[in-house]
Amino acid sequence: MEFFKKKRIFLDHASATPVLKEARLAMEKYFTDEFYNPSAIYAEGVKARRDLGAFREKVARHLHAGAKDIVFTSGGTESDNLAILGTFEKAAESVLLPHLVISELEHPAILEAAEEVKRRGGDYTIVRADEEGIIRPEKIEKAITKDTVLVSVSMAAGSIGVVQPISKIGRLIREARKKNNSSYPYFHTDATAAANYASLNVDALSVDLLTLDGAKMYAPKGSGVLVVRPGIELSPMIVGGGQERGLRAGTENLPSIAGFAAAFDVAVRDREKESLRLLALRNKLLAAVQNIKGSFVIGSPDNLLPNVLAVSFPGQISEFLAISLDQKGICVSAGAACQSQNDSTDDLALRFSLGRSTTEKDIENTITALKEIVMRA
Amino acid sequence: MEFFKKKRIFLDHASATPVLKEARLAMEKYFTDEFYNPSAIYAEGVKARRDLGAFREKVARHLHAGAKDIVFTSGGTESDNLAILGTFEKAAESVLLPHLVISELEHPAILEAAEEVKRRGGDYTIVRADEEGIIRPEKIEKAITKDTVLVSVSMAAGSIGVVQPISKIGRLIREARKKNNSSYPYFHTDATAAANYASLNVDALSVDLLTLDGAKMYAPKGSGVLVVRPGIELSPMIVGGGQERGLRAGTENLPSIAGFAAAFDVAVRDREKESLRLLALRNKLLAAVQNIKGSFVIGSPDNLLPNVLAVSFPGQISEFLAISLDQKGICVSAGAACQSQNDSTDDLALRFSLGRSTTEKDIENTITALKEIVMRA
């Protein structure tokens, strides 16, 4: 196709990332030479099982978790669903009307799972963000009832990139548990958008359940993790073979898991350097956007992921702006914040999400293109 | 490792298959150059969406189904779960106590999903195989009640390889629906073990739901399909994004889907030739096994998949036999038929499953090794 010949600028890393070379190399042998089933009893199966264990330990180390806490899934959506529905189904054995507390900024995988909980006889409360896009811990505290079995707040919503006070929320939930002498509520965070840039120490964060999605971490699509801390009890969603401690049945996808572990290694290795590099580029884009008359930046810049900028231009339809940018060779996402009901983020936003491929030249060209389009519109 | 230097003989293709070169080549570009999200609105996203549609059409053609009937999943276990639990949850909206009819030979992904249905307030009946390992249509008919919403019988259980009378069962179920003027029961078949060797014309088979697992079809692990025929209504298991007609949320795993479609092409192209080749090799193994005193072959040889031979040696523990074969460089599976409650198949079986890599020499060496082990034991 014509447009693939010209260099395109990809600023939608929050929606997809290419697979790193390190990840592809790690996967290769498991497609062909070592394709064996980790459940098989012969030597090749034993080797596959051992490799699987090594990947599990590697991933666990990056999270300061135990190897047993790592449940490999088919991706972020499945991990989110398992956290929500798995907690609900298990809790329904002992709690009459299990209740969830969910932030309004959550991914549809969480919001729709909460709806499914309602359909199955539970209930949930949505907590709104303040005008800076922050979910205030006090509001979470107020929303918790005696029947609350799970609180779910993303580390940073991919849609707007505002980093949430996860460890504060985590601590207050632990206090609520102690006070009520209950094992509930659990605390789940979706770390998908934050994973490349934030430290993911599950102890420091005081989280019980944490979602990772390989497709946003330069690992293969179809790879993901749900961290399930000791003592946290879930019912499985997918049954029939007992894999992943009985929490996720199906032959383990060893090539994909190998790729995920390799990409996670690189993410952790480059986290600081890449965060600083992207922060500088993003801030350059931010400054230019703030100079465009009528622009409205979502969230306080001090509080954003280093690679995300969500901006609306009231009176202009961001989907049209995205299409115009596409025609100028720039890939961005539109309407990512549309699920928000909060006044401050009610407009559809144009989301720029930077990543490994992003250069200073990309940002300069994007600024030029954006100015032309917005001024003309 | 030492043993990888010597040529090993892999006779466990029913548990895992390497990824075909054609499939790997089809996947490659989607890992790196065309890694985009099919939901994105820019040109690259549109291209990804178009490619996804083309793969869907290609897969549908091989099944004589419509493109809309193809739901891509993370593998056979998920497909089986979605068929069972998706039917149950949807049916529970209109049927008070939804009931399933399941053959005893089903994969744990189906048997445990049936248990989950029971836990959620439904029920199920297990239909036993006859002494030849066949699920008789009359027995299915008898087991169907007015509350039966789904019948599930594998095209051939991977454990013993006996091919079941699917189209007969399919036709009697259609008649039962007509007689009762009901859209239930649906008919599901797991075609995982049969897919490389049997024709999968969903119309000719009269099936409503059909499972395929890429991991057993020389496609990548983590790829799979559930065929859902028009008018068949399921609730999704994984929610939050509306992908796959709302039946399976999560960013589409385009590399994996590309690999699946390419491997399926090869499977269909080589089906006849490969079936005949493996049948000859399997029959050579069968004849030798029948000559070993005390051997008991499971199923009638006329009625087996061309690549499977399950055999028990009463009084000998098949797991020990498998370990002894492993020591002689031969990979087979043990105990695959252990879930069977039927008298004739109650012994643990040693399962040989042949595949693309299997040569005449492999079979000869296996016969020699097996004789040595069984005679000595």
Side-chain angles (χ1 to χ4, degrees), chain A residues 63-313:
Chain A
L63 297 158
H64 299 253
K68 281 186 182 170
D69 304 354
I70 307 302
V71 176
F72 289 114
T73 69
S74 73
T77 290
E78 189 193 322
S79 294
D80 282 345
N81 273 223
L82 179 56
I84 305 288
L85 298 173
T87 296
F88 168 76
E89 286 292 338
K90 188 70 192 175
E93 295 172 10
S94 58
V95 180
L96 194 60
L97 294 167
H99 171 259
L100 317 173
V101 174
I102 308 281
S103 104
E104 68 165 333
L105 300 173
E106 297 308 291
H107 187 273
I110 291 172
L111 295 170
E112 291 188 25
E115 267 301 304
E116 175 65 19
V117 160
K118 203 165 183 174
R119 203 182 67 80
R120 295 189 194 173
D123 201 2
Y124 68 93
T125 302
I126 292 278
V127 171
R128 305 277 169 218
D130 70 9
E131 14 180 74
E132 291 190 333
I134 294 172
I135 305 296
R136 295 285 164 199
E138 315 79 87
K139 284 199 186 170
I140 295 285
E141 201 165 16
K142 266 189 206 160
I144 292 174
T145 73
K146 65 170 186 27
D147 294 325
T148 305
V149 298
L150 184 78
V151 174
S152 189
V153 180
S154 286
M155 194 168 287
S159 52
I160 58 171
V162 175
V163 177
Q164 302 298 341
I166 295 303
S167 61
K168 276 189 195 163
I169 298 172
R171 281 197 300 275
L172 82 80
I173 287 172
R174 300 218 162 170
E175 281 162 29
R177 290 210 288 245
K178 211 181 269 175
K179 213 175 66 185
N180 298 337
N181 194 22
S182 164
S183 55
Y184 294 118
Y186 296 163
F187 183 33
H188 169 247
T189 193
D190 183 335
T192 297
N196 295 314
Y197 311 107
S199 163
L200 300 173
N201 182 326
V202 289
D203 271 331
L205 292 169
S206 294
V207 296
D208 303 306
L209 296 155
L210 182 141
T211 289
L212 293 174
D213 184 2
K216 315 289 158 67
M217 293 171 69
Y218 303 87
K221 290 180 177 58
S223 66
V225 161
L226 182 67
V227 184
V228 181
R229 300 290 285 154
I232 300 302
E233 296 197 335
L234 305 183
S235 294
M237 270 204 316
I238 300 177
V239 296
Q243 290 91 347
E244 301 296 307
R245 285 200 293 134
L247 287 176
R248 205 289 177 185
T251 301
E252 300 87 345
N253 190 343
L254 202 47
S256 207
I257 289 168
F260 181 88
F264 201 7
D265 279 353
V266 175
V268 171
R269 184 192 73 196
D270 294 350
R271 185 177 283 154
E272 272 187 52
K273 198 179 59 181
E274 192 63 1
S275 292
L276 290 172
R277 190 181 77 83
L278 293 180
L279 185 66
L281 294 178
R282 198 278 315 275
N283 283 347
K284 185 169 184 162
L285 180 60
L286 170 66
V289 162
Q290 285 174 324
N291 272 333
I292 297 176
K293 214 186 138 188
S295 71
F296 181 85
V297 171
I298 296 173
S300 158
D302 306 338
N303 229 355
L304 292 176
L305 290 176
N307 71 318
V308 175
L309 180 66
V311 57
S312 65
F313 297 92

Side-chain angles (χ1 to χ4, degrees), chain A residues 1 3-4 8 10 12 15-19 24 27 31-32 35-37 40-44 47 50 74 77-78 81 85 89 93 107-109 112-113 119 220-222 237-241 248-255 319 322-323 326 331-332 334, chain B residues 1 3-4 8 10 12 15-19 24 27 31-32 35-37 40-44 47 50 74 77-78 81 85 89 93 107-109 112-113 119 220-222 237-241 248-255 319 322-323 326 331-332 334:
Chain A
M1 284 160 79
F3 65 79
F4 281 125
R8 302 263 297 172
F10 182 69
D12 198 20
S15 106
T17 51
V19 180
R24 274 185 299 127
M27 295 169 78
F31 284 136
T32 46
F35 63 87
Y36 306 99
N37 193 320
I41 61 169
Y42 38 83
E44 288 84 348
K47 163 80 162 66
R50 203 164 53 218
S74 73
T77 290
E78 189 193 322
N81 273 223
L85 298 173
E89 286 292 338
E93 295 172 10
H107 187 273
E112 291 188 25
R119 203 182 67 80
K221 290 180 177 58
M237 270 204 316
I238 300 177
V239 296
R248 205 289 177 185
T251 301
E252 300 87 345
N253 190 343
L254 202 47
E319 201 161 12
I323 290 167
D326 181 23
C331 308
V332 302
Chain B
M1 282 160 82
F3 65 77
F4 280 126
R8 302 263 297 172
F10 183 71
D12 197 20
S15 108
T17 51
V19 179
R24 276 185 297 126
M27 296 169 79
F31 284 135
T32 46
F35 63 89
Y36 306 98
N37 193 319
I41 60 170
Y42 38 82
E44 287 85 347
K47 164 78 161 63
R50 202 164 54 215
S74 73
T77 290
E78 189 193 323
N81 273 223
L85 297 173
E89 285 293 337
E93 294 172 10
H107 188 273
E112 291 189 25
R119 204 184 65 80
K221 291 180 175 60
M237 269 205 316
I238 301 179
V239 295
R248 205 288 177 183
T251 301
E252 300 88 345
N253 190 344
L254 201 48
E319 201 159 12
I323 290 167
D326 181 23
C331 307
V332 301

Side-chain angles (χ1 to χ4, degrees), chain B residues 21-145:
Chain B
K21 194 177 151 203
E22 289 86 343
R24 276 185 297 126
L25 291 176
M27 296 169 79
E28 252 169 36
K29 69 174 176 179
Y30 296 105
F31 284 135
T32 46
D33 297 336
E34 301 189 26
F35 63 89
Y36 306 98
N37 193 319
S39 300
I41 60 170
Y42 38 82
E44 287 85 347
V46 174
K47 164 78 161 63
R49 192 152 61 253
R50 202 164 54 215
D51 286 4
L52 177 63
F55 293 133
R56 200 183 297 283
E57 275 174 28
K58 187 189 266 204
V59 167
R61 263 198 304 277
H62 291 319
L63 298 156
H64 299 254
K68 281 188 181 167
D69 304 354
I70 307 302
V71 176
F72 289 114
T73 69
S74 73
T77 290
E78 189 193 323
S79 294
D80 283 345
N81 273 223
L82 178 56
I84 305 289
L85 297 173
T87 296
F88 168 76
E89 285 293 337
K90 188 70 192 175
E93 294 172 10
S94 57
V95 180
L96 194 60
L97 294 167
H99 171 260
L100 317 174
V101 174
I102 308 282
S103 104
E104 69 166 332
L105 300 173
E106 298 308 292
H107 188 273
I110 291 172
L111 295 169
E112 291 189 25
E115 267 303 301
E116 175 65 18
V117 160
K118 204 165 183 174
R119 204 184 65 80
R120 296 188 192 174
D123 202 1
Y124 67 93
T125 300
I126 293 278
V127 172
R128 305 276 167 219
D130 69 10
E131 19 181 69
E132 290 191 334
I134 293 172
I135 305 296
R136 295 284 164 199
E138 319 73 90
K139 284 199 186 172
I140 295 285
E141 200 166 18
K142 267 191 206 156
I144 292 175
T145 73

